[in-house]
Amino acid sequence: MKGIDISVGLEYAGDDEALYREILTEYADCIEEQAQAIECAVAAEDIERFTLEAHSLKSTSRTIGAQGVSEQARELEEYGKRCEWAKIRAGMPQLLASYRGLHSVILSYCADERNGEQEKRPLDREAVEELLSQLADSLEVWDSVRAEEIIAELARYDLEEEFALYRKNLASAMGKFDYEACRTIVMQWRAANVL
């Protein structure tokens, strides 16, 4: 894919192609929201928020193999740590153009690959509970890569509407590295899963 080294992304996904596609789809789903969050942080001159958003973008981009976007975000994160607004404003348009450009690239790739995709597994509450338990453990040790893998694994199940919403909200919160929100969603899902 243009701008994405698939071999790097697959390595982060444990060479599991279906999991990699799930992670890519979640990444693409968050692009516009995160791009706007970065723009808002700059407009508000909120250096803490900007630096956190740049750090998040650097890390999530690295895990899918978007090395160019990851490197641009790393550079802007460093400027953020030093409060160098002029350099941030100069570099931000190129970063956001590259970042937003990944949306169509990823969707094209995922659409091309869907023909070989397996059907969703029937809902297995015990298996879902085990994944949620592993997710809670990953969040406790701040392991975002494993957490994203688990969230993608949960998408392989034919989830009821309520559970599908939990998974979507988890993916969104994880994309922002909002571990507290993730923990809350996991607790709510685990409580609902035992009913």
Side-chain angles (χ1 to χ4, degrees), residues 147-159:
E148 287 179 3
E149 290 172 357
I150 294 167
I151 292 167
E153 179 71 18
L154 286 164
R156 294 184 182 178
Y157 287 94
D158 187 12
L159 299 172

Side-chain angles (χ1 to χ4, degrees), residues 120-121 123 128 154-155 157-161 163-164 167 189:
K120 289 194 180 268
R121 301 173 192 161
L123 179 62
V128 167
L154 286 164
Y157 287 94
D158 187 12
L159 299 172
E160 298 166 6
E161 187 176 340
F163 293 172
R167 199 206 67 77
W189 190 345

